[in-house]
Amino acid sequence: MSCPKRRAMVQAKTWVLTERFEGFPKDSNFRLQLEQLPDPKDGEMLLEALFLSVDPYMRAYVMRIQPGEVMMGSQVAKVIKSHNPSFPVGSHVVGRCGWRTHSLSDGAGLTLLQADWPQEVSLSQALGGIGMPGLTALYGLEEVLDLKEGETLLVNAAAGAVGSVVGQIAKIKGCKVVGSAGSDAKVAFLKDLGFDEAFNYKTITSLEETLKAASPDGYDCFFENVGGPFFSVALPQMKQFGRIAVCGGISLYNDTTPQTGPYPHTSMVFKQLKMEGFLVNRWQHKNPEGIRRLLAWAKEGKLHCREHVTEGFEKMPSAFMGMLKGENIGKAVIKV
Ligand code: NDP
């Protein structure tokens, strides 16, 4: 007996990787491609993307997908057709569906957004301050650094999705916060958020002198997002027994040959530093509680989750490359 044909219901737009990035990504690395999706089967749903995320990990992890495959990435989507009772029509999910406007899913790996998500908080925040980047900030500060009231924290890429939340949570915890970012507009944003000190790393004459002036006694904690020369200059500014959370190294991701620099041993030994790398999903079991806490801070007005919104699915590659160039203040998202 032949199976009944599944009628193509929806035409999905997708962005496919044409070839692996060589250095900084370029337009020709991406191709817009149409795909016909059949009706969802039993247990499946049809999702329609509302907001998509562009993140630095897409540059760092691109070797995990083959040319010809859809670019990796998360999105907030609406369930528009469902044969899965756990995901009713009209509900919203966060899922790693890739760069595509529509997807079929059996629910694996999807997170259902709480039905009482506050109206005043855009659903796109589930990709930003009330989502993975916000949780990265929270876990880096609490689980890795164990940040204490009264301590001084340094964070770089501070005006971005993770960094801007790092600084605000550190202020909530009663700490002194010093942040660096790549434009004067970003520095003004950090000051508005309540950072004690903020500077434009592109226009200062000496990073060492700037870090010393911002905190003459040094730093208890360093939330490291950048790597490269910034890291090498910051390390000797740590206090004795200082702690460093290595969250990322965005200045390294586009390198075709590895950077070399001063080795960290002298500072690590003589300052007796502790350094730990981490991935946000280590504490996945804490996500529901983490999201609740971030949402509560946002509703109390203690956490501001600024977004850099690009309109149009067609602009995904330029939004991605723009984020890598530093065009975003806050979380870079695409509104379909
Ligand atoms: P952002 O929103 O901060 O966007 C990236 C920012 O990086 C740009 O806006 C730019 O800001 C800065 N940047 C780009 N190139 C350089 C460079 N050469 N030197 C210094 N800064 C640069 O991204 P996210 O907040 O999403 O990510 C921040 C970091 O956190 C990244 O390293 C990322 O890989 C990491 N991360 C790690 C996770 C984990 O689980 N460990 C999870 C999520 C993110 P500017 O104008 O200030 O230069």
Side-chain angles (χ1 to χ4, degrees), residues 54-57 132-133 136 157-163 180-183 186 201-202 223-226 246-253 278-281 322-332:
V54 283
D55 299 87
Y57 74 80
M132 182 278 281
T136 304
V162 175
S180 74
S183 74
K186 292 186 179 189
Y201 71 91
K202 291 182 179 167
F223 197 109
E224 156 71 326
N225 287 321
V226 168
V246 182
C247 174
I250 189 140
S251 75
L252 312 173
Y253 299 161
F278 73 98
L279 288 171
V280 58
N281 51 18
M323 178 276 301
L324 292 176
K325 283 185 209 146
E327 288 170 5
N328 58 308
I329 299 186
K331 175 73 186 107

Side-chain angles (χ1 to χ4, degrees), residues 107-180:
L110 290 188
T111 305
L112 197 58
L113 283 195
Q114 54 189 75
D116 62 345
W117 187 271
Q119 273 209 320
E120 66 273 22
V121 179
S122 167
L123 291 173
S124 54
Q125 302 277 0
L127 300 170
I130 320 292
M132 182 278 281
L135 292 168
T136 304
L138 186 67
Y139 300 148
L141 290 173
E142 295 191 343
E143 306 290 337
V144 181
L145 291 173
D146 191 20
L147 186 70
K148 303 273 194 321
E149 184 178 355
E151 290 188 319
T152 300
L153 172 101
L154 172 64
V155 55
N156 48 18
V162 175
S164 59
V165 180
V166 166
Q168 292 180 81
I169 297 178
K171 287 311 297 174
I172 292 169
K173 290 179 179 290
C175 295
K176 173 174 172 174
V177 180
V178 178
S180 74

